Amino acid sequence: MPPSTFEANPLLLFEQRNVSDEGVLFPILDKNKIQKQNRNGNLLYKMPYKTAFFQGLKFTIWETGRITMEGSLHKYWNNGAHNYNDFDIKAILTVLQDLKIKFGITPGQSILKRLEIGVNINPPIPTNEILSKCLLHKNKPFEDKMNSDEGRYKQVEHSQYMLKTYNKAQHYISKGFEIDGEIMRFEINFIKMEKLKQKNIYNLEDLLNFGLQNFKQDLVNEWQNVLFFDNTIQIDSLDIKLGIKLLKYSNVEYWLQLLFNNQKKNFIYHKNQLRKITADHSENLQNEITKIIEKKIDLLNI
């Protein structure tokens, strides 16, 4: 579809970027505020492009003629306002049909460059208590992040994807929304396409053919890969040795020291010890959350 089709659409008001009102290109500067040059000594300028926004989606027309669309289909379904409610397969199909009607966009034309797959759940205990005990994902610590759109969240970045979890209810309450109960968000953000290509997913049509319900195991596996310290662990107060061990296990620095000192076997041994203690002496919140995730994904794909 040519850029002119989008520019002519009355729903999209495009604005020029990286060009002044007089049509002058913006230079690319280095850290010393000196304009960069290419190998041939030619001055470098930022690439001009045009952007328009509609119901939470950002449309970009690049100088090369390439057109991109980014944003949340979930938010689009809510007129760009939020994405804290359920977004099931019927809603997804409704959104895709609407995009086809309004902009001529079809799933087969929509090549994926990155993809976020996640689920909103009602956790068994307050979300913040869960987040505070998510210590590592695989062998990486969770980082506390902040942005204007999603508020505070915990994230781990791997080479092919990012894992993110946060208190979605708290975030939207801070924006003035009225939300009853807890909403915990858990998601996988595929920042590279390799894992998706292994599933033969290249565009939105491939994604639908694959079936969103088939990401259930991916989400469950990644949640189970979280090193989680369960605060419901109950032990005999006289078992001082076990109490000292649990004090270590609850501290992320203990686990990082094992990893930094190349004690991989020791790390695996103690991780298995924690899992055994959790299974024998707690409400096993991590497994309970796994069941909630599975049930929610099944419900969204009926």
Side-chain angles (χ1 to χ4, degrees), residues 137 142 153-158 161-165 186-189 218-219 222-223 225-226:
H137 181 257
F142 279 90
Y153 58 93
K154 295 178 77 76
Q155 176 180 292
V156 175
E157 184 169 350
H158 299 285
Y161 66 98
M162 293 188 293
L163 195 80
K164 188 188 299 183
T165 184
F186 184 76
E187 66 188 40
I188 305 170
N189 191 331
D218 295 84
L219 283 162
E222 298 302 352
W223 170 247
N225 281 330
V226 172

Side-chain angles (χ1 to χ4, degrees), residues 130-144 154-156 225-231 244-261 267 270-271 274:
I130 296 170
L131 300 183
S132 68
K133 298 305 176 183
C134 292
L135 305 180
L136 304 175
H137 181 257
K138 295 184 177 178
N139 61 352
K140 285 192 169 185
F142 279 90
E143 296 181 73
D144 290 314
K154 295 178 77 76
Q155 176 180 292
V156 175
N225 281 330
V226 172
L227 182 60
F228 181 77
F229 185 84
D230 196 321
N231 262 357
I244 293 173
K245 182 179 287 188
L246 286 173
L247 190 62
K248 291 180 180 178
Y249 288 171
S250 66
N251 189 343
V252 66
E253 293 299 327
Y254 169 77
W255 300 101
L256 292 177
Q257 283 302 313
L258 291 179
L259 292 170
F260 291 158
N261 292 329
F267 175 86
H270 286 290
K271 184 171 71 171
L274 175 58

Side-chain angles (χ1 to χ4, degrees), residues 37-38 41 67 73 106 120 122 132 157 172 187 215 236 247 254 256-257:
Q37 301 179 4
N38 62 17
I67 303 167
L73 297 182
T106 62
N120 299 336
N122 300 116
S132 68
E157 184 169 350
Y172 275 105
E187 66 188 40
F215 283 96
D236 190 330
L247 190 62
Y254 169 77
L256 292 177
Q257 283 302 313

Side-chain angles (χ1 to χ4, degrees), residues 193-225:
M193 289 295 295
E194 185 175 323
K195 287 183 177 292
L196 296 175
K197 288 178 180 178
Q198 291 171 0
K199 303 176 189 290
N200 291 317
I201 297 173
Y202 297 86
N203 56 45
L204 276 177
E205 187 173 345
D206 297 332
L207 180 64
L208 293 174
N209 291 336
F210 177 78
L212 294 172
Q213 72 277 7
N214 290 317
F215 283 96
K216 178 168 73 172
Q217 200 56 52
D218 295 84
L219 283 162
V220 166
N221 289 345
E222 298 302 352
W223 170 247
Q224 286 291 332
N225 281 330

Side-chain angles (χ1 to χ4, degrees), residues 72 75 81 83 146-152 166 171-172 175:
S72 168
K75 282 188 177 180
N83 61 354
M146 175 74 183
N147 72 26
S148 57
D149 183 51
E150 295 178 333
R152 295 187 180 279
Y166 57 97
H171 171 55
Y172 275 105
K175 286 190 168 187

